[in-house]
Amino acid sequence: MGLSAPLANAASERWVSDNLTTFVRSGPTDGYRIVGTVEAGQPVELLDVQNDYSKIRTASGDVVWLPSADLQDTRSVNARVPALSSKVKELTARLDGINDEWETRVSDMKAGLETRQARIEELEASSNSQSAELEQARSKMRKMQALLDTQKQDLLMRYFMYGGGVAGAGLLVGLIVPHLPRRKKKRHGFL
């Protein structure tokens, strides 16, 4: 930088470094007297730069010099605090909203799970009841099948006995009839 290098953008916004409160001088070297201080983070307007010093205008309108190393291009922490505080409040409110929404969802899920669990238990009870009824029906069917089988055997036995009786009677008649005396037929005198 030259001895009197005017800025391309003469009025440029800067901030005093956040690290310290800075003494300001009446001119661009350490040889000029100290005329005051600027607070850390205070916004200033950069007017000119000579050697290692910058000419600034403070918020109160004072035009003074301070070391260029004590200026920064980014907004100071003090200037960002209100915006950051606002952002923190906004995010906290959103987080609270998310937390409330999450708790509502969890509560709804729990209620849904309890309903499903109750339905599962109801279905299991119904299934167990139907299984018991099915087993009773199978047992009854086995008994009926056994009874039907017994009745079939009884019926077959009756048919066998009836058939055997008819065959036995036929056999007896067949054996007895030939031994019965025959009656002679009366002949009519035609022969």
Side-chain angles (χ1 to χ4, degrees), residues 1 3 11 18-19 24 29 40 57 67 69 76 80 87 95 97 104 106 109 125 127 129 140 149 152 160 169 181-182:
M1 292 185 192
L3 290 177
D18 286 326
N19 298 332
V24 292
T29 65
R57 179 176 293 127
S76 68
R80 288 182 292 188
K87 188 71 173 174
L95 185 59
T104 301
V106 167
M109 284 187 230
S127 175
S129 172
K140 195 172 190 178
D149 289 344
K152 278 183 184 177
F160 181 73
R182 290 187 177 192

Side-chain angles (χ1 to χ4, degrees), residues 15 36 39 54 65 72 78 80 89 99 106 109-110 143 157 176 180:
W15 291 265
E39 295 293 319
S54 296
W65 292 83
Q72 62 188 33
N78 290 343
R80 288 182 292 188
K89 285 179 185 176
N99 190 40
V106 167
M109 284 187 230
K110 283 182 181 177
K143 286 179 185 175
M157 189 58 97
I176 294 176
L180 286 178

Side-chain angles (χ1 to χ4, degrees), residues 14-187:
R14 297 284 192 274
W15 291 265
V16 175
S17 175
D18 286 326
N19 298 332
L20 55 123
T21 298
T22 304
F23 293 108
V24 292
R25 298 182 179 273
S26 59
T29 65
D30 288 343
Y32 287 89
R33 69 182 174 93
I34 295 174
V35 292
T37 60
V38 288
E39 295 293 319
Q42 178 180 346
V44 294
E45 182 181 349
L46 179 62
L47 302 173
D48 193 9
V49 176
Q50 289 185 10
N51 298 328
D52 294 333
Y53 274 81
S54 296
K55 184 177 186 180
I56 60 166
R57 179 176 293 127
T58 64
S60 62
D62 296 332
V63 176
V64 291
W65 292 83
L66 81 157
S68 295
D70 292 342
L71 287 179
Q72 62 188 33
D73 292 339
T74 58
R75 293 183 77 194
S76 68
V77 171
N78 290 343
R80 288 182 292 188
V81 165
L84 292 174
S85 294
S86 172
K87 188 71 173 174
V88 165
K89 285 179 185 176
E90 176 189 334
L91 292 174
T92 300
R94 283 180 58 195
L95 185 59
D96 288 344
I98 289 170
N99 190 40
D100 292 344
E101 181 181 336
W102 178 252
E103 286 178 0
T104 301
R105 283 185 181 178
V106 167
S107 176
D108 290 346
M109 284 187 230
K110 283 182 181 177
L113 285 174
E114 288 171 359
T115 302
R116 287 186 183 104
Q117 185 63 34
R119 182 69 178 140
I120 287 169
E121 289 172 1
E122 179 183 318
L123 290 173
E124 284 177 347
S126 175
S127 175
N128 291 341
S129 172
Q130 289 175 353
S131 294
E133 289 176 12
L134 178 63
E135 189 55 39
Q136 286 177 351
R138 284 181 179 165
S139 175
K140 195 172 190 178
M141 188 176 76
R142 283 191 294 268
K143 286 179 185 175
M144 291 297 178
Q145 188 66 41
L147 183 61
L148 183 61
D149 289 344
T150 303
Q151 286 178 351
K152 278 183 184 177
Q153 288 176 354
D154 287 348
L155 187 60
L156 285 174
M157 189 58 97
R158 281 185 196 158
Y159 285 152
F160 181 73
M161 294 295 285
Y162 178 73
V166 168
L171 182 63
L172 263 172
V173 168
L175 289 174
I176 294 176
V177 166
H179 295 296
L180 286 178
R182 290 187 177 192
R183 283 198 264 169
K184 291 190 175 182
K185 288 186 181 184
K186 286 185 182 182
R187 296 189 180 211

